[in-house]
Each structure stands twice: as C-alpha cells, then as structure tokens.
Amino acid sequence: MKIFGLVILIPVCAVSYLCKEGDNAVAIIARVVFISSALALYFFPAICSVGAQRKARVSIFKLNLLAGWTGVGWIIALYRSMVKPIDDDQT
C-alpha cells in the first residue's frame, strides 16, 4: 500500500508542475497541488513510518528532514520506513 501511494504521488506532482504556468484559476490550483504534493513526496518516508514505534518514527523523520534532500538520505529513510523494526523485547 505504501508503494501505491508513491506511484500516485509522483504523477500528481509532475502534472501539477506542468500546469502551474499562468494566472488563471487552473494555474493557481495547480500551484497549490504542486506545493502540497511536493511536500508530501519529500516527507513520504516520514509519513510511511506513522505506524512504527516512536523511537523509529522520530529517527526516520530526522533523517528525512536533514538528509532527504540528498536523494541517498531519502532512499535510506524510505528503506527504514518500509522495513519492520526488530523489537528488543523479543528473544
């Protein structure tokens, strides 16, 4: 389900980016959609980690916020949000 959200978010961001030129109502709506979808795309790993433990969720958010712009940091944050963390309590 997480990959489905990413597959939907990328085209929405791309189409709204292409339609944001001009001063008409469609362009204004496209700008709003582009900004919101670009922010959602950037913070997608942090959004995917909502169901994780608090410690993992905070570390994924920090990694995404500080190193997500590099691309490598974003991919690492996405990987950490997709992989289920191992509980220390289980033996």
Side-chain angles (χ1 to χ4, degrees):
M1 194 62 160
K2 295 176 184 180
I3 298 297
F4 179 72
L6 192 60
V7 168
I8 294 298
L9 198 56
I10 290 172
V12 167
C13 191
V15 169
S16 63
Y17 176 76
L18 295 174
C19 297
K20 69 182 180 84
E21 298 299 323
D23 293 331
N24 56 6
V26 174
I28 293 170
I29 292 170
R31 284 186 196 120
V32 171
V33 170
F34 172 70
I35 290 170
S36 60
S37 63
L39 281 172
L41 186 61
Y42 182 78
F43 287 110
F44 188 75
I47 294 169
C48 286
S49 69
V50 167
Q53 296 174 354
R54 185 183 190 295
K55 187 176 180 181
R57 195 172 54 230
V58 170
S59 68
I60 291 170
F61 177 74
K62 287 179 183 177
L63 176 66
N64 192 194
L65 181 66
L66 299 175
W69 62 272
T70 61
V72 174
W74 189 87
I75 290 172
I76 293 170
L78 182 65
Y79 174 76
R80 289 204 52 215
S81 68
M82 296 286 185
V83 175
K84 184 180 179 199
I86 299 172
D87 294 333
D88 293 333
D89 298 339
Q90 295 178 356
T91 54

